[in-house]
Amino acid sequence: MAVAETQLYAKVSNKRRSKSASALLESLLAKGFPAHIAQKALAATGQKTIEDAAKWLHSHCNDPSLDDPIPQEYALYLCPTGRLHNHLQEFWKESKRQCGKNRAHEVFPHITLCDFFTCEDQKVELLYDTLKRVGDSFSQSFPPSISLSLHSSTSYLGFFIGDSHANILKEFALAFSSEASALADCHVKPCLKQLHLTLAHKFYPHHQKTLEQLAKCINPGETCQWVAALYSRDMRFVHYQTLRALFQYKPQNIDELMINAGDFVYVDPTQQSDVSEGWVIGTSHRTGCRGFLPENYTERANESDTWVKHRQVVVSEYVFVTASRLFTQTENEPNVKLNGEVHNPSMSRSVTNVLSQLSQNATLRRGVLVMRHGERVDQVFGKSWLQQCLTADGKYYRADLNFPSTLPKRKDSGKHFECDPPLSSCGVFQSKLIGEALLDQEVTVSYVYSSPALRCVQTAQHVLQGLKLDQKVKIRVEPGLFEWTKWEASRVIPNFMTVTELAEASYKIDTSYRGNFPLSSLVPSESYEEYVSRSSAVIKQIITACPSKGNSVILIVGHGSSLASFTRPLIGLPARDSSDFAQAVRKIPSLGMCFCEEITENKWQMANPPVKTLTHGANAAFNWRNGIVED
């Protein structure tokens, strides 16, 4: 476009915007909102309706950044719709279920035409004008079908766009970027490298074959309508984690964050080191406010869940049928919705066939349920909890109902409870509740292994009581299950109760069991590599020592570090980086659990635990005098 034509178009565009496109802005200005704030609200909501923008403004009335001139970031994506999109979504679900989450699951199926770029709020309408103008000019040149060919490597799986069709898409992206850069005064970078539609990215190499077989169920020639759409995101939180609130939380202190179920919260992992265990500090996507919130009220969300979809244009629609089609859909076999998601019966059958081929003759032989211990007393009352419960002559008394009613007898000094604390009363209740839930689900626990830590032995005992198995199944105390010794504050191995002492205290201990790793083999302040090696060896020895008893479960009660360190080697995954490992362990709550099932002999996969998670809130100490009879 010539410079003169560009300037003329800009004038025309601005005139048109002042008459019609600014109707939404004029309505907000009439309500008394300042122009820059009204424009921010429109940009944040995709300039859809007055109601959306007004709701955003109301929610962000306490947002400290409301007046900041921070623009949104925008990207131009080419997205499939129709049957092809449905099949891609089926692949998304099945690949996640079979191989776990990979980087591709963070975003929806798309072809990137222009990378993210910034655009001032007052100029976003010009992006819409540009997209419509360029879309109209290319409407006749788009191919009747887009050539997609499957490409696979050890860390990437996706469809590459054929060169001739890719060239047209690149021309479209280049035209949009040129006009948008000129009209909206922003730097737009078109994608001119190999265009692709990613199916899986940064997965573990041993999952490549499974992902390839699932991808072959997708017919790239299915009915599809391609849509070019603008998406925006808040550039301040690009490198943050996105959490989704599972429950409502009402702040109890001024520095806490109000969240509703379904809210998204941005969390910077680098700012969590000084936050109390079980809490995170984050910024609400809905309100823009920042504060502390309980981490167990949230779950990880996808990066794109907070993105806003703006204007779009339909650039191509085609039906491409070949004789080698893997599946077809007729009027008698429509897409139906299951749980609110589009479900294609033919795709499901294709995926089911692949899955059955992957696991021929596979039967569920065993399961391994790895569980963190229940709430420990020092988690509630601090490291000096024992001093709060001792009389002047050294006798134990219950200073709060959440202290244990009694402490088990041990021959050495009772001060060793400071490094080997018991469960709180709530921890005992939690453990029994989990056992009862496992009983309701008819889970058959045949073997129980516990870390030598008292809190773990007690958790195993009370889970067995809830299962009504405490008279049938005995606890095998395995020193090798103890947590990474580097995390012991005293830098020495705690003085645990002996197996004999535990049995005399009425815990159902298998006194004939000899651990794979004697206590003397635990090294203080061991390296991460030593811990990983120990964990890998002990889980393999436990599996070997527990022959299959039908659909039986091996229960392992350990620590927060146990969930990853015992399951990852079982399913063939390498250990995480030590810093990532520490971050993940921080997020595991009391009685957090994960489950592995055996699909063929000595081949395991992750599965949903047999019971739901247990979520509970903090309960501060209360003195009835305060606020009742005393000011």
Side-chain angles (χ1 to χ4, degrees):
M1 179 185 295
V3 175
E5 291 177 331
T6 301
Q7 294 174 344
L8 176 61
Y9 178 66
K11 293 179 181 179
V12 173
S13 176
N14 287 331
K15 286 182 179 179
R16 178 155 49 89
R17 179 172 173 269
S18 64
K19 292 182 178 179
S20 59
S22 63
L24 296 176
L25 177 61
E26 293 297 336
S27 297
L28 291 176
L29 295 178
K31 295 179 182 292
F33 294 109
H36 68 288
I37 292 179
Q39 289 166 343
K40 176 174 282 192
L42 290 171
T45 57
Q47 300 208 24
K48 295 180 176 66
T49 66
I50 288 294
E51 291 75 16
D52 288 341
K55 182 179 179 181
W56 188 93
L57 287 166
H58 176 74
S59 298
H60 285 258
C61 60
N62 295 317
D63 185 348
S65 67
L66 193 59
D67 286 319
D68 293 346
I70 303 174
Q72 295 276 308
E73 280 190 323
Y74 297 83
L76 182 62
Y77 286 167
L78 188 66
C79 303
T81 63
R83 294 179 184 176
L84 178 58
H85 175 264
N86 295 341
H87 297 326
L88 291 169
Q89 290 295 86
E90 288 287 349
F91 172 85
W92 244 245
K93 290 193 298 182
E94 285 299 330
S95 62
K96 186 176 181 180
R97 188 178 73 86
Q98 287 294 298
C99 304
K101 190 173 181 179
N102 63 66
R103 190 65 61 84
H105 290 118
E106 289 287 335
V107 189
F108 41 82
H110 70 279
I111 300 171
T112 302
L113 297 180
C114 294
D115 294 326
F116 274 101
F117 59 93
T118 58
C119 180
E120 297 176 18
D121 295 337
Q122 67 271 24
K123 297 179 180 179
V124 174
E125 190 70 31
L126 299 176
L127 297 181
Y128 303 160
D129 294 337
T130 299
L131 181 59
K132 178 65 168 61
R133 178 185 175 91
V134 175
D136 289 344
S137 65
F138 274 81
S139 61
Q140 300 301 317
S141 59
F142 260 83
S145 64
I146 295 181
S147 173
L148 303 174
S149 58
L150 189 63
H151 174 80
S152 176
S153 70
T154 54
S155 63
Y156 175 84
L157 181 74
F159 289 118
F160 280 4
I161 315 301
D163 289 343
S164 60
H165 297 163
N167 289 336
I168 298 176
L169 298 182
K170 291 176 182 178
E171 290 175 8
F172 175 82
L174 185 60
F176 171 82
S177 65
S178 298
E179 294 199 21
S181 297
L183 298 178
D185 191 26
C186 52
H187 179 65
V188 185
K189 182 180 178 181
C191 290
L192 301 178
K193 296 181 180 180
Q194 174 69 62
L195 295 185
H196 55 274
L197 191 158
T198 299
L199 298 176
H201 181 43
K202 291 192 176 180
F203 49 84
Y204 290 103
H206 69 277
H207 286 149
Q208 181 181 359
K209 184 176 180 181
T210 301
L211 292 169
E212 284 179 358
Q213 290 180 290
L214 289 174
K216 290 176 181 177
C217 292
I218 304 172
N219 181 9
E222 262 293 359
T223 302
C224 178
Q225 186 181 69
W226 290 96
V227 174
L230 284 166
Y231 289 86
S232 71
R233 66 185 184 187
D234 194 322
M235 63 184 297
R236 296 173 298 168
F237 306 113
V238 170
H239 299 296
Y240 284 44
Q241 290 180 352
T242 304
L243 304 180
R244 179 188 290 105
L246 297 171
F247 314 102
Q248 183 186 58
Y249 180 75
K250 295 182 178 180
Q252 301 178 23
N253 297 291
I254 193 171
D255 59 352
E256 293 176 1
L257 184 65
M258 171 70 184
I259 55 173
N260 294 328
D263 280 0
F264 293 103
V265 180
Y266 301 110
V267 172
D268 184 354
T270 64
Q271 297 179 359
Q272 308 304 316
S273 57
D274 297 329
V275 180
S276 300
E277 182 179 2
W279 292 76
V280 293
I281 184 168
T283 302
S284 169
H285 171 72
R286 179 175 59 85
T287 67
C289 296
R290 177 180 169 85
F292 294 94
L293 67 151
E295 190 170 18
N296 62 356
Y297 277 49
T298 65
E299 65 178 0
R300 282 292 298 272
N302 293 329
E303 175 189 346
S304 61
D305 287 344
T306 58
W307 294 0
V308 176
K309 186 175 183 179
H310 292 253
R311 302 290 171 84
Q312 63 182 37
V313 295
V314 177
V315 296
S316 176
E317 182 174 4
Y318 69 92
V319 179
F320 184 50
V321 182
T322 64
S324 59
R325 229 167 136 155
L326 295 179
F327 42 77
T328 58
Q329 183 176 23
T330 67
E331 293 180 359
N332 295 325
E333 189 181 45
N335 288 342
V336 295
K337 286 192 175 183
L338 296 178
N339 299 322
E341 296 183 359
V342 176
H343 176 73
N344 187 291
S346 59
M347 178 62 176
S348 296
R349 285 198 293 272
S350 299
V351 171
T352 301
N353 291 337
V354 171
L355 297 181
S356 63
Q357 293 172 4
L358 294 177
S359 57
Q360 286 179 351
N361 303 320
T363 58
L364 179 61
R365 295 173 178 235
R366 292 175 291 181
V368 173
L369 181 62
V370 184
M371 180 186 302
R372 189 189 181 191
H373 56 76
E375 180 185 85
R376 49 194 277 181
V377 67
D378 62 331
Q379 182 180 338
V380 183
F381 299 104
K383 296 297 181 183
S384 62
W385 67 273
L386 192 58
Q387 282 69 46
Q388 304 173 45
C389 299
L390 295 178
T391 61
D393 57 356
K395 292 183 180 180
Y396 175 82
Y397 76 99
R398 198 178 195 181
D400 184 284
L401 287 179
N402 202 21
F403 281 104
S405 56
T406 60
L407 292 178
K409 293 182 180 180
R410 56 190 306 167
K411 295 176 183 178
D412 53 23
S413 171
K415 290 186 177 180
H416 287 303
F417 283 121
E418 291 181 345
C419 294
D420 186 26
L423 293 179
S424 66
S425 294
C426 286
V428 171
F429 169 76
Q430 293 170 339
S431 304
K432 288 181 179 178
L433 185 63
I434 291 294
E436 292 168 358
L438 291 169
L439 179 64
D440 289 341
Q441 295 299 316
E442 300 181 349
V443 175
T444 304
V445 173
S446 301
Y447 307 94
V448 178
Y449 287 81
S450 171
S451 160
L454 176 58
R455 57 192 179 274
C456 298
V457 174
Q458 290 179 320
T459 299
Q461 173 83 1
H462 294 300
V463 169
L464 284 173
Q465 287 179 358
L467 275 163
K468 298 182 179 179
L469 291 175
D470 50 310
Q471 301 301 320
K472 298 179 181 180
V473 180
K474 292 188 176 182
I475 302 168
R476 297 176 176 179
V477 178
E478 173 53 66
L481 295 176
F482 188 58
E483 66 183 343
W484 187 9
T485 60
K486 179 183 176 181
W487 287 341
E488 282 299 302
S490 61
R491 300 304 182 194
V492 297
I493 304 301
N495 195 328
F496 300 115
M497 293 179 66
T498 66
V499 169
T500 302
E501 286 176 327
L502 290 169
E504 290 175 351
S506 300
Y507 297 111
K508 305 302 180 182
I509 304 298
D510 184 349
T511 55
S512 65
Y513 176 74
R514 297 294 177 265
N516 296 298
F517 285 78
L519 277 172
S520 58
S521 68
L522 291 179
V523 180
S525 300
E526 66 188 331
S527 68
Y528 181 59
E529 290 72 22
E530 289 172 329
Y531 171 68
V532 167
S533 177
R534 165 164 65 90
S535 301
S536 179
V538 75
I539 187 63
K540 291 177 181 177
Q541 290 169 348
I542 287 175
I543 295 301
T544 301
C546 298
S548 176
K549 293 184 179 180
N551 292 339
S552 62
V553 170
I554 303 168
L555 173 62
I556 296 177
V557 181
H559 308 266
S561 57
S562 303
L563 273 67
S565 60
F566 297 134
T567 58
R568 290 178 72 88
L570 196 59
I571 61 176
L573 294 183
R576 292 184 183 275
D577 179 82
S578 59
S579 58
D580 293 337
F581 175 76
Q583 287 288 340
V585 170
R586 284 185 63 257
K587 301 178 181 180
I588 298 173
S590 299
L591 290 167
M593 65 185 77
C594 58
F595 186 67
C596 294
E597 60 184 10
E598 190 175 37
I599 53 175
T600 60
E601 187 173 359
N602 293 323
K603 183 175 176 60
W604 299 77
Q605 69 177 11
M606 299 296 293
N608 288 326
V611 297
K612 299 293 184 181
T613 186
L614 174 63
T615 302
H616 58 90
N619 191 42
F622 172 70
N623 187 323
W624 63 271
R625 293 182 181 277
N626 297 337
I628 306 298
V629 297
E630 296 179 356
D631 294 331

